[in-house]
Amino acid sequence: MDGALESLRRDFAGLRSGRASPALLEPVRVEVYGSEVPLTQVGSIAVPEARMLTVQVWDRGAVAAVERAIRDSGLGLNPAADGQIVRVPIPQLTEERRHELARAAARYAEGAKIAVRGVRRDGMDKSKASEKKGDISQDDVKVWSDAIQKLTDQYVKKVDDMLADKDREIKQV
């Protein structure tokens, strides 16, 4: 369940909220050297100012690929190459774009909830299998089921809280 929350944190970090953040470009994958690699493996990401990201590309031959990958990432960014540095200005978010980002955040949160429920299902299945083997009693299965459900409810609430925070951040003008 912690893994689902960590994955959600990474997904939310990649959602733009109007401020420049290196985490925004971390999910971008670049087609270089005959394979697709994370952007962080072909250059370093920096934030020189509040509304600008720069990518210092280590290999001059990969600059065009980095620029293309950022443009095609679906983040709504328009990078510009300057030697081995790719400058990525962060435009102001429109109201429509804010709603799109809020919907994307909700999709990520729903995916995290599904993952948490999958862990709950696995736990329930294991306790029932142990009961069938005779390792634990029916009363123990009930106790374990209640504990697993309580833990699931706590994690779903954490996901909801994270979504509410991200939603506030996105809609903040």
Side-chain angles (χ1 to χ4, degrees):
M1 292 185 188
D2 286 330
L5 286 183
E6 189 54 39
S7 176
L8 182 62
R9 268 189 207 94
R10 281 193 309 273
D11 289 342
F12 279 176
L15 283 179
R16 221 164 34 112
S17 60
R19 292 188 294 272
S21 166
L24 178 64
L25 295 179
E26 284 179 6
V28 175
R29 299 187 63 77
V30 182
E31 180 76 33
V32 288
Y33 317 121
S35 65
E36 209 173 79
V37 297
L39 178 62
T40 54
Q41 291 184 7
V42 294
S44 56
I45 305 168
V47 184
E49 29 183 285
R51 305 197 63 68
M52 174 77 68
L53 290 171
T54 59
V55 181
Q56 175 71 44
V57 183
W58 298 318
D59 179 8
R60 188 176 295 278
V63 172
V66 167
E67 192 176 1
R68 186 173 39 258
I70 294 170
R71 190 171 287 118
D72 297 343
S73 67
L75 295 171
L77 300 174
N78 192 19
D82 182 15
Q84 281 186 257
I85 295 178
V86 177
R87 298 185 191 288
V88 186
I90 308 295
Q92 282 284 67
L93 292 176
T94 63
E95 194 64 29
E96 181 181 327
R97 183 68 177 143
R98 288 179 195 277
H99 289 298
E100 286 176 26
L101 291 173
R103 282 194 298 273
R107 279 194 307 272
Y108 289 148
E110 188 56 38
K113 287 180 186 179
I114 289 169
V116 167
R117 291 184 196 120
V119 172
R120 175 189 63 190
R121 184 185 58 245
D122 292 345
M124 297 286 199
D125 290 347
K126 285 182 182 177
S127 67
K128 288 177 184 173
S130 293
E131 179 194 10
K132 285 186 179 179
K133 284 187 211 170
D135 293 342
I136 60 175
S137 69
Q138 201 170 17
D139 290 340
D140 288 341
V141 170
K142 175 71 174 139
V143 169
W144 278 103
S145 295
D146 290 345
I148 291 170
Q149 184 59 48
K150 189 174 184 178
L151 191 62
T152 301
D153 292 342
Q154 289 172 356
Y155 274 85
V156 167
K157 181 170 179 2
K158 287 180 184 180
V159 169
D160 288 338
D161 292 345
M162 288 172 65
L163 176 60
D165 290 345
K166 188 63 177 182
D167 208 33
R168 257 192 311 280
E169 181 183 322
I170 289 171
K171 294 189 176 171
Q172 174 185 340
V173 179

